Amino acid sequence: MNDSLDARIESLATLAEEARKEFATATHEEQLNQLKARYLGKSGSLKTIMESLKELSPDQRPILGKTVNQTKQEVLQALEDRRVQIREEKRRQELAHRWIDLSLPGRQRDQGAIHPLRSVTRELFSIFRSLGYDVAEGPCVEDDFHNFSALNFPPDHPARDMQDTLLLKNGALLRTHTSPVQIRTMQANRPPIRIIAPGMVYRCDADVSHSPMFSQIEGLWVDEKVSLADLKGTLTTFARRYYGPDVPIRLRPSFFPFTEPSCEVDVGCVFCPRGGSCSVCHDTGWIEILGAGMVDPNVFEAVGYDPEKVQGFAFGLGIERVAMLKYGINDIRLLFENDVRFLRQFAK
Ligand code: PHE
């Protein structure tokens, strides 16, 4: 009986030895796989010896079992070692035949950058957010009510001509300003309301400083007590944060149908040394940045608010204009043409 145990252990050793030799002669991974099946597979040599276990006495079985397992581990290890060798050899050969020119310049990836209009908008958002404003939005395709009537433009009022409206076939129109968002927001909410509304607006107009499509940010604050002083304070804070702490602002009387009183707001020209000759402000020392005013009682009535109980101010600024002044851009169309030579200058 012992004989047969020893013989089997002996044959396991021989098997491991043979396997190792054969592995060494294999030159491809597929060969190795075949050898693996032959030695370790379901009908492989190791399995045959394992199956003869039952011919041994119960006390011999664990001895052989253990040896079979050890042998299996050794064979597997030898196989994996050889696999690594084969792969390394293959790689060495590939590298020896492939010529790599290390002096070639690398592939350059184009990196995107934030469009100047977008970065100005973000900056304006963050300033107004810090003053407690939420962002609101409205549709670009509007109706007469939201764009004009509710904003106190009577049907034949010449103020409608101030903005050359692009009409659509179905009687709708492309909004000429972001002020209709004031109406939509007030219709859907009760005061207090404090919003800014960014968006594209459309007018039939085109030259170096006018584009048929441009963007505005509308501001609206409605509460029980809101005064012109609040408007001035808000816009002063905005101008100082955006253009610098020492920038002066002034309010000039103006007219908008939906605000009363109305004003236009200028900031001190950031381009010229005061008194010099400046093509941006034409030596006035001031640049107009926005229109504003106290919400007209008729507007409150149009949205169902009691003008005796609420007050508010609104303002609207042109984002392109703000961006042009900030970056010294002299043609509005540059902002829409998306010429990368222009845009690249804003990549950080
Ligand atoms: N909607 C006005 C325009 O487009 C700007 C504005 C907004 C003026 C809010 C006053 C108050 O010219």
Side-chain angles (χ1 to χ4, degrees), residues 28 34 43 61 87 108 114 146 156 164 172 186 198 238 243 245 253 265 269 282 292 296 308 326 331 340 343:
H28 293 93
Q34 283 164 13
S43 44
R61 282 179 200 166
R87 283 187 188 164
Q108 284 222 330
I114 308 287
H146 291 93
D156 299 317
D164 298 311
M186 287 193 279
F238 150 70
Y243 290 105
V265 178
C269 179
H282 306 296
D296 192 290
E308 297 298 323
K326 175 120 178 168
D331 186 336
V340 282
L343 294 176

Side-chain angles (χ1 to χ4, degrees), residues 33-164:
N33 293 340
Q34 283 164 13
L35 289 172
K36 185 177 180 184
R38 188 148 101 225
Y39 286 99
L40 306 172
K42 272 196 189 120
S43 44
S45 327
L46 212 66
K47 188 87 177 179
T48 321
I49 297 179
M50 193 62 181
E51 271 160 7
S52 70
L53 209 65
K54 47 187 176 296
E55 294 163 17
L56 297 178
S57 66
D59 57 327
Q60 287 177 332
R61 282 179 200 166
I63 305 176
L64 185 67
K66 199 173 158 200
T67 319
V68 168
N69 280 337
Q70 273 169 1
T71 310
K72 188 174 173 185
Q73 288 313 316
E74 279 171 31
V75 171
L76 260 180
Q77 188 59 52
L79 183 105
E80 289 314 315
D81 289 351
R82 182 60 189 153
R83 197 188 292 282
V84 172
Q85 280 176 356
I86 289 175
R87 283 187 188 164
E88 278 173 359
E89 179 57 25
K90 195 171 162 206
R91 181 93 186 112
R92 246 195 307 280
Q93 282 177 6
E94 277 172 5
L95 287 177
H97 288 99
R98 215 194 294 152
W99 189 74
I100 299 174
D101 183 353
L102 293 175
S103 69
L104 277 177
R107 275 194 204 122
Q108 284 222 330
R109 286 236 202 124
D110 281 338
Q111 202 181 356
I114 308 287
H115 191 280
L117 285 181
R118 173 57 40 188
S119 63
V120 167
T121 308
R122 285 187 184 172
E123 208 177 330
L124 298 177
F125 276 6
S126 89
I127 293 174
F128 283 106
R129 278 228 178 89
S130 76
L131 296 176
Y133 286 73
D134 286 330
V135 174
E137 279 183 320
C140 287
V141 174
E142 265 299 1
D143 50 39
D144 186 273
F145 176 77
H146 291 93
N147 197 81
F148 290 124
S149 310
L151 287 162
N152 198 32
F153 288 78
D156 299 317
H157 197 284
R160 292 194 186 210
D161 295 339
M162 275 167 37
Q163 307 178 345
D164 298 311

Side-chain angles (χ1 to χ4, degrees), residues 250-297:
R250 71 174 182 187
L251 275 60
R252 270 182 299 108
S254 184
F255 172 77
F256 299 101
F258 37 92
T259 46
E260 182 59 36
S262 304
C263 60
E264 273 166 334
V265 178
D266 298 339
V267 290
C269 179
V270 280
F271 290 103
C272 63
R274 209 51 54 76
S277 128
C278 175
S279 63
V280 180
C281 72
H282 306 296
D283 295 339
T284 59
W286 297 99
I287 301 169
E288 182 198 324
I289 54 162
L290 55 83
M294 302 308 294
V295 179
D296 192 290

Side-chain angles (χ1 to χ4, degrees), residues 163 177 179 182 203 216 218 256 258-259 291-293 314-316:
Q163 307 178 345
H177 52 177
S179 301
Q182 288 185 34
R203 293 181 197 176
Q216 291 188 328
E218 189 84 7
F256 299 101
F258 37 92
T259 46
F315 57 87

